[in-house]
Amino acid sequence: MTISAKNFRELRLERMRRDFGGLNALKDISLTIKRGEFIALLGPSGCGKSTALNCLAGLLPLTGGSIWVDDNRIDHLKPEDRGFGMVFQNYALFPHMSLRKNIGFGLRMQKQPQAVIDAKVEEALALVRLTKQADKLPGQISGGQQQRVAIARAIVVEPPLVLMDEPLSNLDAKLRLEMRAEIRRIHNMIGCSTIYVTHDQDEALSLADRIVVLRDGEVRQVGTPQELYARPAHADVAEFMGYRNLLKAEAETEENGRLSMRVGTARIAGLAVEPGNGRDVIAALRPEDLTPSTDGPIAASVISAEYRGRDFYGLARTQDGMELWFRSDIPVQPGEALRLGAPAERVLVYPARAA
Amino acid sequence: MSAAMERAPLTAPAAPDRVSLSQRLARRGLDVTTLLLMPALLFVLALFVYPALYGFWLSLHPMNANGVFGFGNYISFFSDRYVYGTIFTTLELAVPVTLVNIALSVPIALRVRHLRKQRLLTTILIIPVTLGTVLTAQGMLNFYGPLGWFNRILMTLHVIDAPVRLVHNFTGVFLSQIVSGFPFCFMLILSYVSGIDPSLEQAASMLGAGPAARFRHILLPLLGAGLAITFCLAFVQAFSVFPSAVLVGSPSGPTRVIAIAAYHAAYEQYDYSMGSAIAIIMGGVQIIVVAIVMKASAALYRGPAAGGKG
Amino acid sequence: MKIESEIAGKLWRIAIWALVGFFIINLTGIILSVVVDSLGTSWFATWLPNGFTTSWYSESWSSFQLGGVLVVTLEVAGAVLIGSALLGVPAAYALARRDFPGKKLVMLLFVLPLIIPPFTYGIPLASVLYQFGLGGTLTGVILANLMPSVPFVIFILVPFIEQIDPRVEAAARVFGAGTWALFRTVMVPLLLPGILAALVLVLVRTIGLFELTFLTAGPGNQTLVVALYYSVFAAGMRANQTIDAMAVIYMVTSLVCLIIALRFVDPTQIVGRSKKSAAH
């Protein structure tokens, strides 16, 4: 394998900032990315993740802060002088060039000898398994294949860093799963650092070494997929990571980080994740951790239920009018009365913010 | 599946003679909706095709041959240098004007597309397109005339000592074709340039292409077909130049364009037969030029200028 | 190296804006010199006229019979507008919605009037009109102006109609709309923006269309632009200021149409839409 990531130790973003008019799209983003790392920038639309990526690429100038590759400051460089690879959301394949020409474009711009270009393009085509289609135009191949060309085009120049802007969002669900595996496979083979922008937490969890959660232009949490899944640092991160039930609760007693609180008329226990003082808290829990049991503290009646193959997912309403998502191993019917409960270590408690 | 087909009753109403005429026509795409085309089609046949054919017929029955069939008009056109020379006079004017207009439009359009307030500029530039060549000509006579503001300014700035002659000659017609032709080219090219997905250029720059390389490898190939079409449409206007050739040119000499020759024959000598012949020759030259340009651009990419789906 | 390319980029940008600026200055000069002259008492070898007056307008109005010319212009424009809508809209709909044998030929037939010089078919058209006794009449002028307008409307509307999903019509049928109801409640509201844009462009074009009117009009039915041509052509017979006054009147008329047009369409459409024709 001759395609491999160039040497560098780390990429540093220092208080990176970008304003649009009066709007702060990015507020002092600081982050260090090590060589070979796969970073996912995760956040809802409008959180600034694409802006961050474009700033890194050089497509948008910064309005503050700096970007460093080891000891070289690069934020004043034009995109063509940074040498990063990028995979665009719409792939941005050159429609008038064959796949071979598309992939070879970066090498041609580096004025590499034709023999080197041919060899590397051939290798990249094999890597993304498109050797047979090499002389077609982008318009003649499927979306998934276009996606693979876009990846091949970005990595064939052996960039220190590859930027990917929601690369799977234009594909259908099945292809998305396949390409996810493909991206991971290529990353493992090449070992280039990757920054991957997405709004899909499943993608981020399955691909990334570390996940950076952005919201309103700020970094909310940085951590491994395991950390983010099990211990979101804030209630909004929790909501984004699949904690669909966010219950307003009133803290009563605390003991070794274990909190007892009142949710409506029920009393439940949970773990205090984010320190805060005050009685108003938010308890976050995943639907899969909230199950019916005879001694469950929360009484509710089923509104709807759907069969998911192995188990049932449903929506129930408590007497206080609170709606809860839950999971059940046994069939449940709309209108049925239930008692729901969750293990205390799966209930994460955050201070309630003044809205 | 195939077994079921075999067992299907043989009485299936598949006989083609049972299909009515309207159904058969509909199968080929001819139905009531298609008939909506007829009024416009008849109109074009009556007012374009018939006159063109009639003109062609007329041109082959020269007036001086008392209406007997013959190529006399075409022979006399191509044997008189003063007359056939108008083709070259017109081409010498129309080709450079069109090329200059396109050459100016491309870089400006590439810059303007990044502008957020495009609308103001495009509105200013649309004005000469709307005003047309006659008003432009009258304005040019005032502005570029020997006593006009343009010469006065240059003389005040001591760029020149005596007024430059900018009207009633080839330069005048050339300038007038730029004043009214450039905005037209610019608008067309701007709309083509805006149709190119900006992420393609971004992708090229991420791959190390500087501005010149991006233009050569991405923009120019993607614009190619659009430039050819712009050339053709702008060329029609420049090639059929008439009012400005008369008003700001010197219609008996250096700017005696082919339209003047046609007009002269038909409306001043009342020889409709000869006028039609010249008009047909004019159309023929135009079609040849369009055909050459389209042929030359046929090798270029002509699909959508967007990267992938979306 | 990097600094050099930066400077080159800056110079390039300055050069381009200088070019645009120079063009706009010249354009302004051309227009303004007409306006100033039309308002000046006498103007010779000075920066500005000696004095200002509006009397040229009344003189121009009466000596060129501009009242009649304006009426003719509006009549022609109005008739062309209605005619091109009645002929062009149904044809555009048929071309957008149906594939039939010979469609390419029909398209070519509609493209030709747009890419062939107006003189080429204008001269034979004029002789045909004279043959039928329509030469030099208002009807003849209207027919001649209608000629390029119908294909123009078609080529603006075809892509517009194509991008309206035909399933919308199918859905209306499924919900029980008859042909008339379909037309009234679904098609007209959907098509109206496109039709309006197309017609406004036709209006702007018709006011400025010179050649065909020039070739077919008689003395009593010239449009404004042709009357202006004759007066500039015969310059010297009357004071230049009266010609300029007439030019200003023409300018105002077409600018009013342009302002109306810009309310409905993007400026690039005014020239840009016809590119679709040649792209087919």
Side-chain angles (χ1 to χ4, degrees), chain A residues 57 59 79-81 83-86 88 90-97 102 105-106 108-109 137 143 146 153-154 157 163 170, chain B residues 197-211 213-214 216-219 221-222 301 303-310:
Chain A
L59 300 170
E80 57 261 36
D81 299 324
F84 294 165
M86 183 154 176
F88 288 77
N90 65 352
Y91 320 139
L93 298 180
F94 307 130
H96 57 297
M97 295 184 194
N102 259 287
F105 186 82
R108 226 167 117 205
M109 289 301 112
L137 290 177
Q146 292 184 4
R153 188 178 66 176
V157 293
L163 307 168
N170 280 341
Chain B
D197 185 347
S199 70
L200 294 179
E201 253 199 291
Q202 294 180 343
S205 70
M206 290 305 293
L207 290 164
R214 291 201 294 268
R216 206 167 86 79
H217 295 292
I218 310 296
L219 292 174
L222 291 177
Y301 171 81
K309 325 184 189 186

Side-chain angles (χ1 to χ4, degrees), chain B residues 86-112:
Chain B
T86 57
I87 293 183
F88 301 105
T89 308
T90 319
L91 285 178
E92 272 162 32
L93 184 74
V95 175
V97 157
T98 312
L99 289 178
V100 165
N101 280 336
I102 290 179
L104 288 176
S105 299
V106 172
I108 295 178
L110 287 176
R111 195 104 276 294
V112 166

